[in-house]
Amino acid sequence: TNFAAFSTTAGELFGGPLALEGMMAFMLEATFLGIFVFGRERVSDRLYMISSVFVGLGTWLSAIWILIANSWMQTPRGYEMVTENGQPVVMLVDPIAAYANPRFPWMFVHMQNAAVLSVALFMTGVAAYYVWTNRDTEFWRKTMKIGLAVLLVTAPLQAIHGDAYGRHVSETQPQKFAAMEAQYETDSGVGLKLLAVPTEIEDITDPHAEDLFVIEVPFVASLLASGGDPGATITGLNDMESEAPPVAIVFWAFRAMVGLGFWFILLAFWGGYRWLRGELFEDDLLAKALVGSSVLGILTVELGWIVTEVGRQPWVIQGIMKTSDGVSPGLTGTEAFITLAGFVGVYTGLLVLYWYVVIRLIREEAPTAPAAPRTDTGGSREVVPSDD
Ligand code: HEM
């Protein structure tokens, strides 16, 4: 709402994907979401199942279009810059090159796998809670196994894909990669910093701070950036023409995402090992770890987006338009604050409502007592009442 200049510049590019998102994805999602949330007892099992598939399909289609728009801002292609009424405007000359820009496939795979991983972790955590508190039924045991099976595939895949994704970022947005590694000087044989803390308090907000306490693993950053060469050169932020993004935020968000990614792999293998030995439901520590980690996947998605979006600063469209140039002309600090507060308020309200509905669905729709006999009511299901 506060980026009118950006909308004028990028409108031609954004109009298509956003309209398609609205028509294809939102309609599909919204229609079937109603049945999915409110229709459990009103429609047949088959229609209920179809609705859930279409809700999923709608969100995936929605992700395609929104990620096309975002990935184009990271690696813009297929456009020409023209000037209209004194304002720089993007003219779409090759929509296919623009939509299939180099970042899109990377973003789509990483984001969608992250989404499946996060939901699997949430499901496994909820199921583990019921198993751990001895209110388990066949339903929760099966849920836990399905969640864990999905985690066993998606958690390692996320790290393997993320590693290759990092190389793509180092090629296409070197200043973001250097910020992820807090690399100021151009150097070869660069170590991976596990920790880097400014030694002077005033340096905390200084993106070019050099007095750092660092713990690093030698050669690993070069190795990862090049895909195998421990002596590879990484260009430092001090040698780049563009201003640096806020390094500390990008550096720490990246480390937290990767650290949590490895924690998810550990959880998946731990669960897989117990499952293999037939002890999946007996390990209390595993159940506690799964319950404690249930919302961490969703948090990690946010951390990933912080890396992606803060890392590309000062650009709103990489190399074309700076964020400061995209702001609505004449916008005051107070207006920016009020709109931000408005968004935070509305989304906090939606989040509370969302959790209320999710918790209600978990408590009321799913069996929490030893499986009661199901009554066949001609296709629709009789809900087993909750015992809490
Ligand atoms: C385990 C190792 C991981 C590595 C090496 C890794 C690597 C990356 C890289 C290089 C980026 C791109 C930043 C950019 O475009 O600017 C990124 C972004 C992102 N990551 Fe990760 N990641 C890992 C784990 C995870 C996990 C576990 C999640 C969530 C469950 C996650 C979610 C995201 C999201 C949502 C984004 C932003 C969207 C996107 O660019 O695709 N990542 N990650």
Side-chain angles (χ1 to χ4, degrees):
T1 58
N2 290 337
F3 284 84
F6 164 70
S7 301
T8 309
T9 300
E12 183 159 316
L13 188 282
F14 271 53
L18 295 192
L20 281 164
E21 188 199 7
M23 283 188 299
M24 282 168 65
F26 277 2
M27 299 295 176
L28 196 69
E29 243 174 290
T31 307
F32 287 99
L33 190 66
I35 301 176
F36 186 58
V37 176
F38 301 112
R40 187 66 188 95
E41 294 142 73
R42 296 183 176 83
V43 298
S44 69
D45 282 356
R46 180 174 299 180
L47 182 56
Y48 190 72
M49 173 72 190
I50 292 172
S51 311
S52 70
V53 171
F54 274 100
V55 171
L57 198 69
T59 56
W60 277 62
L61 279 173
S62 173
I64 290 180
W65 296 110
I66 206 76
L67 291 180
I68 284 177
N70 188 286
S71 59
W72 183 84
M73 289 154 78
Q74 316 280 344
T75 52
R77 297 287 187 279
Y79 69 94
E80 256 172 34
M81 290 306 286
V82 294
T83 306
E84 276 176 19
N85 305 323
Q87 170 102 25
V89 171
V90 165
M91 206 174 73
L92 199 55
V93 288
D94 184 350
I96 301 204
Y99 289 7
N101 67 75
R103 178 60 52 88
F104 173 70
W106 289 101
M107 227 180 212
F108 187 73
V109 173
H110 201 70
M111 178 60 223
Q112 297 310 87
N113 195 59
V116 177
L117 193 169
S118 310
V119 172
L121 197 60
F122 184 65
M123 266 173 66
T124 319
V126 173
Y129 173 77
Y130 282 106
V131 171
W132 174 40
T133 52
N134 289 323
R135 284 183 287 168
D136 55 318
T137 59
E138 195 44 41
F139 175 88
W140 287 119
R141 287 177 175 230
K142 204 178 273 179
T143 305
M144 196 166 155
K145 282 184 178 170
I146 294 172
L148 198 57
V150 176
L151 266 188
L152 274 163
V153 178
T154 52
L157 191 68
Q158 191 71 357
I160 294 166
H161 181 266
D163 167 50
Y165 190 3
R167 278 189 283 287
H168 163 78
V169 172
S170 85
E171 281 159 21
T172 48
Q173 290 179 304
Q175 94 284 10
K176 187 191 273 182
F177 187 81
M180 277 153 59
E181 292 306 322
Q183 188 66 30
Y184 291 97
E185 301 300 334
T186 303
D187 213 349
S188 49
V190 179
L192 183 80
K193 298 181 189 70
L194 294 179
L195 194 83
V197 189
T199 48
E200 303 293 328
I201 192 80
E202 60 269 21
D203 283 351
I204 282 184
T205 52
D206 175 9
H208 292 277
E210 280 170 16
D211 303 322
L212 299 170
F213 168 73
V214 176
I215 299 179
E216 67 178 23
V217 192
F219 304 114
V220 173
S222 286
L223 202 83
L224 293 176
S226 61
D229 176 8
T233 303
I234 297 182
T235 311
L237 289 163
N238 293 347
D239 293 316
M240 289 182 194
E241 275 176 31
S242 173
E243 276 168 62
V247 175
I249 300 177
V250 182
F251 178 86
W252 285 114
F254 183 67
R255 260 140 202 80
M257 170 182 68
V258 174
L260 284 163
F262 280 102
W263 169 241
F264 302 155
I265 296 176
L266 188 81
L267 270 182
F269 285 166
W270 180 4
Y273 171 73
R274 288 288 185 208
W275 191 355
L276 209 67
R277 297 184 54 128
E279 304 161 348
L280 182 58
F281 308 114
E282 271 91 68
D283 187 341
D284 270 7
L285 194 61
L286 171 66
K288 282 182 204 167
L290 285 169
V291 174
S293 305
S294 57
V295 293
L296 290 186
I298 295 160
L299 179 83
T300 315
V301 167
E302 299 301 335
L303 289 168
W305 278 111
I306 289 172
V307 177
T308 303
E309 300 299 277
V310 179
R312 84 174 127 107
Q313 299 308 318
W315 301 101
V316 64
I317 308 171
Q318 180 71 46
I320 299 180
M321 184 178 223
K322 288 197 169 167
T323 310
S324 53
D325 296 330
V327 175
S328 308
L331 182 83
T332 64
T334 315
E335 286 162 352
F337 177 78
I338 292 171
T339 41
L340 181 63
F343 270 106
V344 171
V346 168
Y347 275 90
T348 307
L350 284 174
L351 186 69
V352 171
L353 205 65
Y354 171 76
W355 280 114
Y356 171 75
V357 172
V358 168
I359 290 169
R360 228 183 80 163
L361 284 176
I362 293 171
R363 288 224 172 114
E364 293 183 6
E365 293 283 323
T368 55
R374 274 189 49 172
T375 316
D376 193 353
T377 50
S380 68
R381 197 193 69 160
E382 192 177 88
V383 176
V384 180
S386 144
D387 64 352
D388 61 349

